[in-house]
Amino acid sequence: MAAVAPGAGASYPTCNGVKRVTLDAGATTILQPDYTGTGSRNCILQYGNSGSAVEELQFNLIHCHNKSTGGADGIYGDATRQAVKEVQAAAGITADGIYGPETRKAMKWYYYVNGDPGRACIKAGV
């Protein structure tokens, strides 16, 4: 299912899974929402979406940005939308509450070592 991020001028699919991204020559990994049809992280999440991609976004918002999302329940509701808006505003990008490629690049992501959550959030920029 395709969706358009306002102001983006491009159409992106809805994120429907989670992709493991390797950093530091394999020393650490981060998990980010992706579109499993192509494996692309250039996808969007917005109010009303649900699933593992939303859950990973919520986990990130809670643990890396100290935002309340109503829990990591995998449901993109009002609290998650507000948390995304706050992160977007802090990053100086359009605060529309829609997670997309620009927001992904602006966010910090919780890192994992051998599959276990690490102890800090890193600025991935990927």
Side-chain angles (χ1 to χ4, degrees):
M1 172 195 293
V4 177
S11 179
Y12 295 104
T14 299
C15 305
N16 62 357
V18 177
K19 183 173 188 169
R20 183 175 300 277
V21 180
T22 304
L23 304 171
D24 305 327
T28 57
T29 60
I30 56 175
L31 300 179
Q32 292 181 330
D34 81 329
Y35 175 64
T36 59
T38 61
S40 174
R41 290 171 292 134
N42 286 331
C43 54
I44 67 168
L45 289 169
Q46 58 190 333
Y47 184 84
N49 291 143
S50 62
S52 62
V54 175
E55 187 175 351
E56 191 62 36
L57 174 62
Q58 290 170 324
F59 184 85
N60 175 276
L61 290 165
I62 293 165
H63 295 284
C64 296
H65 298 278
N66 199 31
K67 301 295 180 192
S68 173
T69 64
D73 61 2
I75 300 170
Y76 203 121
D78 290 326
T80 300
R81 179 172 47 196
Q82 183 58 39
V84 170
K85 283 183 180 182
E86 291 171 12
V87 169
Q88 290 169 325
I93 60 176
T94 302
D96 57 9
I98 298 172
Y99 171 87
E102 190 175 13
T103 304
R104 171 181 49 86
K105 291 175 184 175
M107 292 182 72
K108 294 178 182 177
W109 289 92
Y110 211 68
Y111 73 89
Y112 296 80
V113 179
N114 298 324
D116 294 323
R119 297 183 184 265
C121 297
I122 58 174
K123 180 73 169 97
V126 294

